[in-house]
Amino acid sequence: MSVRDVLSPFTAWKNLFRDPVSIADPLKRQAAPRYRGFHQNDMEKCIGCGTCETICQNGAIDMLPVEGIPTKQGDSGLRPRIDYGRCCWCALCVDVCMTQSLTMSNAYTWVESDPDKFRFTPGVDKKHWDDAELGYVRPEGHRLTGELRVHMPEMEPDVRIGSFAEIVDGYSVEQAVLEADRCVSCGLCVATCPTHMAIPQYIAAIRDGNYDLGLKLLYDSNPFSGICGRVCTHKCETTCAARHEGDPIAIRWLKRHIMDQVTFDQITRVVGQPAASTGKKVAIIGAGPGGLTAAFDLAKQGHSVTVYEALAAPGGMTRWGIPEYRLPYDVIDRDVDVIRSLGVDIRCNTRVGKDVSLEDLRNNNDAVLLGLGLQLGRATRIPGSDHPDVRKAVDLLRQATANEDFGTPRQAVVIGGGNVAMDIARTLARLQKTAYGEVRVTLTALEDINHFLADPEEIKEAGEEGVIILDARGPQQVVVEDGKVTGLKTWRVKAIFDEQGRFAPSYDEADEQFHQGSMIVEAIGQMTDASLLGDELTERLTWNRGRIQIDAGGRTSESWLWAVGDMVHGPDVVTAVADGHRVAASMHANLVLKEQSK
Amino acid sequence: MSYTPDRSQYPAKKADGTLDIDLTSGKYLKLWHGPNHPGITGNMSVELTVCGDEVVDAKTHVGYLHRGFEKLMERRSFIQVFPIVCRVCVPEPDFNEYCYAAAVEELAGIKVPPLADWIRTLILEMGRVNSYMMYLGGQAGAFGLGVIGQWTTYVRDLMLDRFEELTGARIYHMFIMPGGVRDRLPEGFEQRMEETLREIESTLKDVYDVMFCNAVFKKRSVGVGYIDPALMDAYGVTGPNARAGGVAKDVRRDQPYLVYNELDFEPVVGKDSDIYTRADVRRRDVTMSVDLIRQILAKMPKDGPVMAVTPNVLHWKIPRGETYIRGECSRGEYGYYLVTDGSGFPRRINVRGPSYTHAVALLERMIVNLNISDVAGLMVSLHTYPPEIER
């Protein structure tokens, strides 16, 4: 203790001459630029995936429907409502937001007399900070979920062009787990998938290494998971929440991964045995995905199912249309064999109308299902297209599958910009490479390259394999000299549709090109050959734009006849599968009803 | 040294060794010190038995602030625990964030980018300064020097401004995440931090003049609240409480974590082990932290990532394992014991807060024979934060 200890404390008095440090009006104080204040939500960007709700550890976020925001593909129509009685402003919702729609303004004062007001839907309930520019947004590079897709290993173009071997290798277990890890389980994909597969759940099964569960989930909604795992149009991936700020989850490849990992015995064990026989008999015409899905469901329910297939093997377009390098035949065989294991009798090389009559089928069965598919190619009907060397893509693909020699041309021109056009172009390219050592295929399409109907990867891979792709070219004439096709004349397309939106291409005649080729292949669409119905039945059925009119359950105007798949809904495997389930449910309900009314 | 009477024989002991306290005699009085006493740090209470103005027996009571955090965490995914941990200790929340993140990273095998380690160290030192500022105000206030609290609150607020611009929040920063930190330093941060540090240094000088060179404060604190260095290990005393008794324990030096082995510092040590020395050790510790912040800002890399790539946090599973992560917070050794069982949730999280050992067992022993009016001052001098006692 010293004199200093007595005097020194009095130095505090110097503060009398100092200005106050308090802020006079703290409400006007600006918070820091990255301050985590009140929530903002950009309604244009938000897709209602609910990932914010999932991550919120307080349960402060509820996803609720909002007036004026309809549910649509890739948007649940729900929006996050935040309860500020629970929120702790940790901003995990902002960090995890799949579209970066959710942000926080740097506003930090909000006065209300009604406590319920503090439960609000940002972006919908107007607030004074809605237009605030500063505040917390997810920092660049700060990601809580995986951004980029795990690369799928595949064959190099110069290797794959030499054979029909499958291009894509499929994921290893490690790769699949990594890819499955990126999924946020929002389920937007489930709503989009025509057959509503339990996508987040089977992806979770891959993460957990539980392939039995994954397999069961696949077979709950899709008996063609092997096929769909390779060639599905994967609409799910176009609505995947991850696609907004990165790559969509490789849902199709993950489905394939499960099917690649399991044995046939495992599948039949998971699928189980059919129910006790109902004594009802069903005939199905056409062993494509639609008909066989219905066969699968009906057989499981105990009905006796016979499938009549005109061609030598089941699978429909998946076998006779899709080339082997995209979908190997043993994959089709395995999917079909599972259906056979339920007691479904598939009679190949049996053409209804020739080997067996439709009338007999009607008389010997309780119900008949048409699954004819779209097996006839449409024609361009341009001058010269009646020449025998002007071929339909579906016919050539069928012949290629059957290993028939159709005289591979040294140079070919394909008309069309869809997946079938790509299939035939790439098939011809492989045949040419094997026969002549070089690829000379030109593909012309009406659409410009950004509006091709084919999948982008098909276009990319066809190009890599040496197919010359010309967009916005309208076929005008097949040039024939001395009775031989020499090529195709095209004009540049100015517009495909007229002002009313009808299909009416207009051309720039000055821009004419000649594409050399000794074979012209038309791949511009398909239609159904329904001649087996016979004139009288065709007359009795109701038709709508060339398709049989059906009710919601797939039943035609004839009480004993249903129709399924491409012939009623257009070309798509997974849509046909979904349709098969729907029709089978309708048929089953009807058969049971018949039984009860007896 | 102040007068320290020997009251070891008072009150009398019964045959079984317990104290012979007969409340009906009127000689003794039960007095509840807290839980709503301004001199008590946070929400705990001490049940005192007094004779006159002298404490003859004491019992600590906690439970007024129990929020069940450790149990809550077992029902949260690993990322969902992250916003909770800071709430375990309000005045210095960042240690919880760091220890938890480091524990998760160790068990999940995640390597944190170097820049993130530097920013973490910076945040921990900023938090330490704030914690000490709160302490100095409290310690002075407990002995009647109200003005010190106003000054330290002012500079603490300046530091909170720095926290706000760096982390996006003032109190619960929620910035150190498993995998790294959320963001880099904002533009111009170094310069504004330097201004804040100068303000702190100038305030510290005033605090020294008015609080430490003060006859009243010395009279009340010198020689009071003595912790025998021989008892330190037995009672688990760490941090400034130990260093003020000459036991140079400092996790930053003894077991360097983050970037402390790249920084130049020596733990602050005192020798008298009383309230005054503990306050002085903490005052000098602030100076050291200010110096460390300057070192960090000068030495830290200017660019690079601040967040490691983690698995998708929504279904993050961590392999079976256990770990204990410790660090030197303003009150002593702070630690997180994390057990994982391969699932998406922590199996057990145990928070080792220094306040538990200091405020419960140690305080109970030290309080006996003290004057009632010194109880609050003693308690503050142990620098205890009841929130971290009750997780």
Side-chain angles (χ1 to χ4, degrees), chain B residues 123-168:
Chain B
I123 287 176
L124 295 184
E125 290 304 321
M126 286 164 68
R128 189 188 315 276
V129 170
N130 268 1
S131 176
Y132 281 146
M133 284 302 163
M134 206 173 207
Y135 159 79
L136 285 172
Q139 185 69 75
F143 289 140
L145 299 169
V147 70
I148 302 292
Q150 293 174 22
W151 296 349
T152 56
T153 301
Y154 163 60
V155 287
R156 178 175 177 269
D157 241 33
L158 294 180
M159 194 57 106
L160 292 184
D161 286 350
R162 301 292 80 76
F163 266 118
E164 182 184 326
E165 63 169 317
L166 172 60
T167 68

Side-chain angles (χ1 to χ4, degrees), chain A residues 501-518:
Chain A
R502 284 176 302 218
F503 180 76
S506 57
Y507 303 107
D508 177 4
E509 296 175 18
D511 185 353
E512 183 176 282
Q513 279 185 22
F514 177 70
H515 317 288
Q516 262 192 0
S518 57

Side-chain angles (χ1 to χ4, degrees), chain A residues 25-314:
Chain A
D25 184 359
L27 292 183
K28 289 204 179 112
R29 174 187 174 273
Q30 269 278 315
R34 52 169 89 149
Y35 185 76
R36 297 192 301 267
F38 304 131
H39 289 77
Q40 301 159 310
N41 194 7
D42 185 343
M43 286 297 116
E44 299 293 312
K45 283 189 187 168
C46 183
I47 54 170
C49 66
T51 314
C52 47
E53 183 189 31
T54 309
I55 203 166
C56 182
Q57 64 91 12
N58 292 312
I61 300 182
D62 289 310
M63 298 301 293
L64 293 175
V66 167
E67 209 173 311
I69 297 178
T71 303
K72 56 180 190 239
Q73 289 216 334
D75 183 352
S76 71
L78 306 176
R79 293 295 179 263
R81 184 185 69 181
I82 302 181
D83 183 350
Y84 275 176
R86 288 170 160 264
C87 179
C88 73
W89 283 270
C90 67
L92 281 179
C93 51
V94 176
D95 285 353
V96 84
C97 179
M98 300 305 282
T99 62
Q100 277 202 295
S101 73
L102 207 57
T103 52
M104 282 167 146
S105 74
N106 69 336
Y108 69 100
T109 53
W110 177 16
V111 182
E112 292 282 359
S113 54
D114 176 6
D116 281 342
K117 288 269 167 53
F118 293 109
R119 197 170 50 215
F120 78 113
T121 309
V124 174
D125 301 333
K126 295 293 161 221
K127 297 292 170 214
H128 69 81
W129 59 82
D130 280 350
D131 299 323
E133 281 172 13
L134 295 178
Y136 182 75
V137 292
R138 190 178 72 209
E140 206 182 316
H142 180 58
R143 294 297 298 263
L144 301 183
T145 56
E147 184 180 358
L148 300 177
R149 181 179 280 203
V150 176
H151 175 69
M152 169 61 86
E154 59 174 45
M155 258 190 246
E156 291 301 318
D158 53 331
V159 181
R160 66 191 191 224
I161 190 71
S163 78
F164 278 83
E166 189 175 21
I167 295 173
V168 173
D169 293 351
Y171 281 141
S172 68
V173 172
E174 293 74 26
Q175 289 169 324
V177 169
L178 273 180
E179 181 62 16
D181 185 60
R182 298 172 54 228
C183 174
V184 297
S185 310
C186 66
L188 287 175
C189 47
V190 182
T192 310
C193 175
T195 189
H196 307 306
M197 298 193 76
I199 296 165
Q201 288 78 11
Y202 74 65
I203 290 180
I206 294 175
R207 281 200 301 270
D208 298 341
N210 189 345
Y211 289 99
D212 265 2
L213 174 64
L215 192 57
K216 185 186 171 303
L217 291 166
L218 293 185
Y219 265 88
D220 278 349
S221 55
N222 189 347
F224 283 98
S225 292
I227 290 174
C228 282
R230 284 171 165 82
V231 298
C232 184
T233 44
H234 56 75
K235 297 174 171 66
C236 47
E237 292 179 24
T238 62
T239 56
C240 178
R243 113 195 133 83
H244 295 272
E245 296 280 316
D247 297 334
I249 310 297
I251 300 173
R252 179 173 64 173
W253 297 143
L254 289 175
K255 174 159 56 238
R256 170 190 164 156
H257 174 74
I258 296 180
M259 294 305 288
D260 283 354
Q261 291 298 312
V262 296
T263 62
F264 183 75
D265 291 341
Q266 217 173 332
I267 302 176
T268 49
R269 178 165 48 84
V270 165
V271 169
Q273 289 302 306
S277 174
T278 60
K280 298 287 175 192
K281 287 170 74 182
V282 177
I284 296 175
I285 305 169
L292 288 181
T293 301
F296 176 83
D297 283 3
L298 290 168
K300 282 205 84 174
Q301 283 155 335
H303 306 298
S304 164
V305 184
T306 311
V307 182
Y308 298 90
E309 169 59 48
L311 297 176

Side-chain angles (χ1 to χ4, degrees), chain A residues 520-568:
Chain A
I520 311 295
V521 185
E522 295 170 319
I524 59 163
Q526 290 114 259
M527 51 193 182
T528 304
D529 174 10
S531 58
L532 65 87
L533 295 172
D535 293 341
E536 193 225 344
L537 182 57
T538 306
E539 194 65 31
R540 281 214 310 275
L541 288 167
T542 316
W543 295 79
N544 182 12
R545 290 174 160 210
R547 288 180 180 171
I548 297 179
Q549 176 113 13
I550 48 168
D551 67 9
R555 199 183 206 177
T556 67
S557 48
E558 292 290 307
S559 65
W560 55 277
L561 189 64
W562 278 259
V564 70
D566 289 0
M567 67 179 290
V568 282

Side-chain angles (χ1 to χ4, degrees), chain B residues 10 49 60 67 73 104 121 165 252 257 273 304 308 311 329 359 367 381 384 387:
Chain B
Y10 177 81
T49 308
T60 48
R67 298 144 295 172
M73 292 176 197
V104 166
T121 318
E165 63 169 317
R252 290 176 290 181
Y257 52 99
S273 205
C329 77
I367 252 175
S381 85
T384 58

